[in-house]
Amino acid sequence: MWNRFAARCGCFFLLLILVPLKDSGTVDAQLDYDHARELFIRGDLKDSQLQAEQGYEQFHAHSRQWASRFLLLKAQSMLQRGLYNDALRTLNGRNFDADSQDTLIRSLTIESIALLRQQQPALAEQKLAQANELCKASAFNSCGEVLQARGIFAESDGAFQQARAFFLSAHSFAEERHDRYLDASAVMNLGWTALQIDHLDEALDWLTIAAGMSREIGAQDLREKCSGNLGWAYFQLGDDERALKQFSDAEQTAALAGNLRFRLKWLSTEGYVYRDSGDLPRAMNYYHQAFLLAVQLDSKEDIENALEDLAQLSVVTGKLKDAGDYIDRVTPMEAASGARLSPNLMLTKGQFAAAQQHNQEAEADYRAVWNDRQSLTTLRLDAGAGLASLYESEMRLAAAEQMYKSTLAAYELARSTLRKEETQLPFGRNATQLYDDYIHLLVSEGRSGEALTTADRSRARTLEQGLDTDSGNKSLRPVTIDPRRIAQSTHATLLFYWLGIRQSYLWAVTPARIAVFSLPPSQKIAARVQSYRNAILNLQDTRAEGNQAGRWLYSTLVAPAKAFLQPHRPVIILDDGALSELNFDSLLVSGSGSAKGKNDSATATHYLLEDFTLVSAPSLAMLGAQSATRNRQAKILLLGDPVAASPNFPPLPLLGDELKKIESHFSKNQLTVFAGSQATPAAYLASRPAQYTYIHFVSHATANRNDPLESAIILSRSGAEKNSFKLYARDIIKEHIDAQLVTISACYGSGRRLYAGEGLVGLSWAFLRAGAHRVIGALWEVSNISTPRLMDSFYGNLAAGDSPEASLRRAKLDLIHSRSRFRLPFYWAPFQMYDRE
């Protein structure tokens, strides 16, 4: 993915005259000024500018001091709107010396920022130095804005640690004077600065705090910038969905407030998301809108940024003449400022040269970005990928491989700095294309074994890292991975999938051999997965109808490895991408199989489940790091049939019946049951869940697509708090468990959000992350009528001595071979078993 340099989202500069005049003149002037200032704080910049102008016209003949204050507020509103030349013209030639030192400092500070934005750094520095000298004499209220401005100047020079120090000083200054507006602005700038040095966790923390502060004081303009910068953080993390929402909210708010400069910034960033998602026409439209606004504002900085965006997208779309024109226009503009060309422009020049097969020029430009340690990680990853691809095109395969390895090492280093699941989960998307290209190279060289272990290195890293931390281990990942040994130790056949843009792959692994098969591109496979899933959700009898998508998926994904499969050996599916939303149990097999002797003839179409026991696993590394199984008496924790805590989650009459059926398969000394009003999140967390062999929930559940760790099991209220009835995924992962099996008998227990390398993330993932060895979760809504029957059969089989995977298979077969409507895959196929060992 392509990303932007620091100035894209930008610091927020505020300058407000917060202390009323001691010799206020007239009450009308004070009231008018307070109204104009309130408009500024709310972010109504256009109206604030108009009110300040009217105030100046009304009072400048009567009071020089009021005239100065209205004039400064007018200039500040212009500055925030991106009207830099207008702000400078407003202040040009004004003599504020006689008014007050505070007023003079504010005027100099506004001028310095406007000059900086208009690429006049020397004059800008001179103005700011004057303001700073005045602040040395005494700590005027305006000196907090000077600290902010010094931070902005430092970041423009790439001195981000120095910028951070200035913003921290502004933060302390504001706290001492109880200036909440300045404080919120300083905190937001701290978040913004953290983004520039790839401290994404820290950035999210600061920006979230700043957003809350701005809400409290009604600072809509500041909220808009917090939203946009949060979007930028999510974009850097690879979370396009959340980024787009934040960018869109910020852009609409800026448009309503008449803040043209920031509107064009958020238009650009929305364009980045559409570009990365492949919607190139929409991205180009957003870039053109941003460019026209930049020209309207006559903002040199923004014109440069817009030209870079247009150049880069023109390279991607193959419009090389347009790309060359944009590059020729923007390069002298950046060079004229006296600073080096931005890393983003250098990356674009490299991509342009590579597209023209000017390889030496491309290599030099890519190298400049790759060797620049101050460039954003995502830019360096793009440059590294560009170099690797360039070497590969020149058949310099050893150099290409080394570059792939170096770039992946840079990605892993960046990832290791992230400390939260929320930031680790989406970050894998930043390396998806890189892994894809490297794996393709290895397979093309006949090194399919190395390709397999490379692919596995991208899998379940957040899950694994969390388990490492909880267990105190340095790493659960083996130093070396031997797929055949893993197949031997699990007594299974492994089917490992990689979905790539150009080509996908399947590795079939048994104790005796490994084979790789080429599959269609990911987009084609994903379309068939969605088609088949829709047929199942629409209650189609896919087996009787011989559903084309279900048959195609079997023939494409499984049939190539048919010779590796044996009925007595379970099959472990290590899926990828859209395959995470597919239960392989439901795939349609034509011809004979172990379905013979059941309701189907030996040659009838049947489900893959009827031939094999299938489970899903997160990665080879986790399968290869099996934990010791403790010999202990089986104990089960049952929670369910809660008291309805919200109209959104009405009572379900058969939940109690399901609980009773499960209870019947265990002795009383094995059972701990929390039902009805006792089935609360607090009861689960206080029950010492690590002591239980089995944990089972019978309830509603929600899957939060936007933030999967906000997914929750719906129980009874724990207390007076609004959401005390929700057992959140983020709370689940904090409570270590050692259960052999957790069953979530509820809708969407598997989650609804896919992450590169992690698959579906939701409640099932959370319990694996908490330490469960196996989890049963649902891929879609479950039936209140059929589910108790399936779970009764499942626990009966388990009590009879079957393994969890064999028990679930037999329970599903009971429904498949019934003459009821429950034979349809809608009723039994949602339940997926996830096994990490």
Side-chain angles (χ1 to χ4, degrees), residues 295-316:
V295 172
Q296 178 183 335
L297 292 169
D298 191 25
S299 170
K300 293 181 176 60
E301 176 185 2
D302 294 308
I303 290 172
E304 290 176 11
N305 293 343
L307 287 171
E308 284 186 26
D309 293 336
L310 290 166
Q312 198 169 73
L313 190 56
S314 295
V315 174
V316 175

Side-chain angles (χ1 to χ4, degrees), residues 617-734:
S619 71
L620 291 173
M622 297 193 77
L623 288 174
Q626 298 180 48
S627 57
T629 302
R630 292 189 295 167
N631 292 321
R632 59 181 181 180
Q633 182 187 18
K635 296 175 65 177
I636 182 168
L637 173 63
L638 280 175
L639 292 97
D641 193 20
V643 175
S646 165
N648 295 325
F649 308 105
L652 298 174
L654 295 181
L655 294 187
D657 183 52
E658 183 175 339
L659 279 178
K660 288 183 173 58
K661 288 180 183 296
I662 297 169
E663 286 183 54
S664 69
H665 298 290
F666 296 88
S667 61
K668 287 187 177 181
N669 64 341
Q670 293 177 294
L671 281 165
T672 299
V673 183
F674 295 104
S677 61
Q678 293 183 319
T680 66
Y684 170 76
L685 297 172
S687 69
R688 294 189 298 116
Q691 66 180 303
Y692 294 101
T693 315
Y694 305 112
I695 301 173
H696 188 108
F697 295 90
V698 184
S699 184
H700 286 289
T702 62
N704 190 314
R705 179 174 176 79
N706 189 49
D707 184 355
L709 295 184
E710 287 292 298
S711 300
I713 296 172
I714 306 303
L715 298 170
S716 299
R717 286 193 179 278
S718 294
E721 294 182 13
K722 179 181 177 181
N723 292 318
S724 67
F725 58 91
K726 293 183 177 181
L727 178 60
Y728 288 105
R730 67 176 67 260
D731 295 325
I732 290 168
I733 66 177
K734 296 174 184 176

Side-chain angles (χ1 to χ4, degrees), residues 184-207:
S185 176
V187 171
M188 193 213 70
N189 286 338
L190 283 165
W192 176 85
T193 304
L195 285 176
Q196 313 316 313
I197 53 177
D198 284 325
H199 291 182
L200 300 179
D201 282 327
E202 180 186 349
L204 285 172
D205 289 344
W206 283 121
L207 291 169

Side-chain angles (χ1 to χ4, degrees), residues 467-746:
L467 288 168
D468 288 345
T469 302
D470 291 345
S471 66
N473 292 341
K474 184 176 181 181
S475 178
L476 293 176
R477 181 173 291 269
V479 176
T480 59
I481 295 175
D482 183 348
R484 292 188 300 174
R485 185 194 63 78
I486 295 170
Q488 178 68 53
S489 64
T490 56
H491 308 288
T493 299
L494 314 179
L495 298 183
F496 187 106
Y497 294 88
W498 180 269
L499 300 193
I501 294 175
R502 291 178 292 174
Q503 191 171 33
S504 302
Y505 300 102
L506 158 65
W507 285 267
V509 184
T510 70
R513 55 180 176 150
I514 302 175
V516 63
F517 304 93
S518 294
L519 303 179
S522 58
Q523 188 173 11
K524 186 174 183 179
I525 293 174
R528 298 299 180 103
V529 169
Q530 189 59 53
S531 174
Y532 192 49
R533 182 181 169 93
N534 288 341
I536 291 175
L537 295 180
N538 288 329
L539 295 174
Q540 291 183 22
D541 191 341
T542 57
R543 179 179 59 174
E545 298 171 11
N547 181 276
Q548 184 179 2
R551 295 172 66 172
W552 185 92
L553 288 167
Y554 168 77
S555 63
T556 302
L557 301 175
V558 180
K562 185 177 180 180
F564 289 74
L565 306 180
Q566 301 174 29
H568 66 278
R569 295 182 67 90
V571 179
I572 298 178
I573 305 293
L574 297 104
D575 56 41
D576 187 33
L579 297 182
S580 299
E581 298 180 288
L582 175 69
N583 191 328
F584 277 66
D585 289 350
S586 67
L587 299 188
L588 298 175
V589 185
S590 298
S592 61
S594 62
K596 184 177 180 179
K598 303 291 184 181
N599 289 351
D600 304 291
S601 69
T603 59
T605 296
H606 58 278
Y607 299 112
L608 185 60
L609 175 72
E610 298 178 82
D611 293 339
F612 304 103
T613 300
L614 300 102
V615 297
S616 179
S619 71
L620 291 173
M622 297 193 77
L623 288 174
Q626 298 180 48
S627 57
T629 302
R630 292 189 295 167
N631 292 321
R632 59 181 181 180
Q633 182 187 18
K635 296 175 65 177
I636 182 168
L637 173 63
L638 280 175
L639 292 97
D641 193 20
V643 175
S646 165
N648 295 325
F649 308 105
L652 298 174
L654 295 181
L655 294 187
D657 183 52
E658 183 175 339
L659 279 178
K660 288 183 173 58
K661 288 180 183 296
I662 297 169
E663 286 183 54
S664 69
H665 298 290
F666 296 88
S667 61
K668 287 187 177 181
N669 64 341
Q670 293 177 294
L671 281 165
T672 299
V673 183
F674 295 104
S677 61
Q678 293 183 319
T680 66
Y684 170 76
L685 297 172
S687 69
R688 294 189 298 116
Q691 66 180 303
Y692 294 101
T693 315
Y694 305 112
I695 301 173
H696 188 108
F697 295 90
V698 184
S699 184
H700 286 289
T702 62
N704 190 314
R705 179 174 176 79
N706 189 49
D707 184 355
L709 295 184
E710 287 292 298
S711 300
I713 296 172
I714 306 303
L715 298 170
S716 299
R717 286 193 179 278
S718 294
E721 294 182 13
K722 179 181 177 181
N723 292 318
S724 67
F725 58 91
K726 293 183 177 181
L727 178 60
Y728 288 105
R730 67 176 67 260
D731 295 325
I732 290 168
I733 66 177
K734 296 174 184 176
E735 187 68 34
H736 176 70
I737 60 176
D738 190 32
Q740 290 301 305
L741 175 68
V742 173
T743 304
I744 311 162
S745 185

Side-chain angles (χ1 to χ4, degrees), residues 45 80-82 221 224-225 254-255 257-263:
L45 300 177
Q80 290 304 106
R81 294 182 65 200
D221 189 41
E224 168 227 312
K225 291 164 183 64
N259 191 339
L260 299 183
R261 180 169 188 259
F262 276 91
R263 185 186 176 212

Side-chain angles (χ1 to χ4, degrees), residues 742-761:
V742 173
T743 304
I744 311 162
S745 185
C747 302
Y748 291 105
S750 297
R752 302 180 73 174
R753 179 71 182 273
L754 280 170
Y755 286 101
E758 296 285 337
L760 284 171
V761 173

Side-chain angles (χ1 to χ4, degrees), residues 661-662 665 787-800 802 807-815:
K661 288 180 183 296
I662 297 169
H665 298 290
T787 300
R789 178 173 170 177
L790 183 143
M791 291 300 168
D792 182 30
S793 176
F794 167 70
Y795 280 103
N797 299 329
L798 198 63
D802 283 348
S807 297
L808 182 60
R809 176 175 181 257
R810 286 182 59 189
K812 289 181 178 182
L813 289 173
D814 287 345
L815 293 184

